[in-house]
Amino acid sequence: GAALICANHSNSLDPVYLCAAVDRSQQVHMMAKKEIFKTRLLTWLFKKVGAFPVDRSTADISAIRTTLKYLKSGCKVGIFPEGTRVSQDDAVQAKHGALKLAERSGAPIVPVYIPRKKRLFRRNTVVVGEPYYINHERKKLTTEEYDELAAELMRKINGLRNSST
């Protein structure tokens, strides 16, 4: 069913690893930075595989609506909560977007760990964690509470690292 698939992000191939790790019977719609949709050909290709653009410099209403539409129709949406590629754990704080989308949609968050060091043309273990829900009380959360939830999400993701070896 509907879920926000949240993974760490260190390499431009991570969306491929993420989509390959999730049930292949259902497409994962990847939220991707708008900068990769540069040409008609790339835009066509990325949209064909289910990706959609997000403007990371603002609260992109179009990307939010697209995500909520996919979740409402029972689809999976892939998001990298760090918002950019990061070379080491805990180098940047996760953004609040995935949490707010999970809260608003009621969809679970599925943490995923993708190894930072990948071996091309070899098997790489991607670890999919247990789904969980946030804000069961449906109360309005503060910025500090979102910060703690974002840190918890990254702890869950990075905690899966030991299972990948």
Side-chain angles (χ1 to χ4, degrees), residues 56-129:
R56 298 175 301 165
S57 67
T58 182
D60 186 340
I61 300 301
S62 176
I64 293 168
R65 284 186 181 141
T66 300
T67 302
L68 292 172
K69 176 188 80 169
Y70 282 134
L71 293 172
K72 185 175 181 178
S73 65
C75 297
K76 293 172 178 40
V77 177
I79 297 180
F80 296 110
E82 295 159 309
T84 189
R85 290 188 301 262
V86 178
S87 60
Q88 58 186 331
D89 296 341
D90 302 322
V92 298
Q93 185 176 13
K95 311 285 186 247
H96 299 168
L99 301 164
K100 291 181 178 181
L101 288 164
E103 177 183 39
R104 185 158 179 198
S105 68
I109 293 175
V110 179
V112 175
Y113 180 77
I114 303 169
R116 294 198 186 278
K117 291 186 180 183
K118 296 161 187 73
R119 298 171 304 171
L120 288 176
F121 308 112
R122 299 229 161 106
R123 184 178 296 250
N124 292 275
T125 303
V126 175
V127 183
V128 179

Side-chain angles (χ1 to χ4, degrees), residues 17-158:
Y17 286 104
L18 180 66
C19 291
V22 178
D23 181 6
R24 290 181 189 94
S25 68
Q26 190 175 20
Q27 182 178 26
V28 177
H29 298 276
M30 291 299 303
M31 183 182 283
K33 63 182 180 178
K34 71 174 186 174
E35 292 83 4
I36 68 169
F37 294 82
K38 290 179 182 175
T39 66
R40 282 190 184 143
L41 178 62
L42 286 177
T43 299
W44 175 84
L45 176 67
F46 288 127
K47 288 191 175 188
K48 201 74 168 160
V49 297
F52 60 97
V54 61
D55 183 347
R56 298 175 301 165
S57 67
T58 182
D60 186 340
I61 300 301
S62 176
I64 293 168
R65 284 186 181 141
T66 300
T67 302
L68 292 172
K69 176 188 80 169
Y70 282 134
L71 293 172
K72 185 175 181 178
S73 65
C75 297
K76 293 172 178 40
V77 177
I79 297 180
F80 296 110
E82 295 159 309
T84 189
R85 290 188 301 262
V86 178
S87 60
Q88 58 186 331
D89 296 341
D90 302 322
V92 298
Q93 185 176 13
K95 311 285 186 247
H96 299 168
L99 301 164
K100 291 181 178 181
L101 288 164
E103 177 183 39
R104 185 158 179 198
S105 68
I109 293 175
V110 179
V112 175
Y113 180 77
I114 303 169
R116 294 198 186 278
K117 291 186 180 183
K118 296 161 187 73
R119 298 171 304 171
L120 288 176
F121 308 112
R122 299 229 161 106
R123 184 178 296 250
N124 292 275
T125 303
V126 175
V127 183
V128 179
E130 291 295 320
Y132 72 99
Y133 294 87
I134 62 163
N135 196 11
H136 300 288
E137 300 87 36
R138 308 298 282 169
K139 65 176 184 131
K140 185 163 174 54
L141 298 175
T142 65
T143 300
E144 292 77 21
E145 289 171 316
Y146 278 118
D147 286 343
E148 180 51 40
L149 287 171
E152 177 187 351
L153 171 59
M154 293 313 298
R155 280 192 300 273
K156 286 179 183 285
I157 291 170
N158 290 323

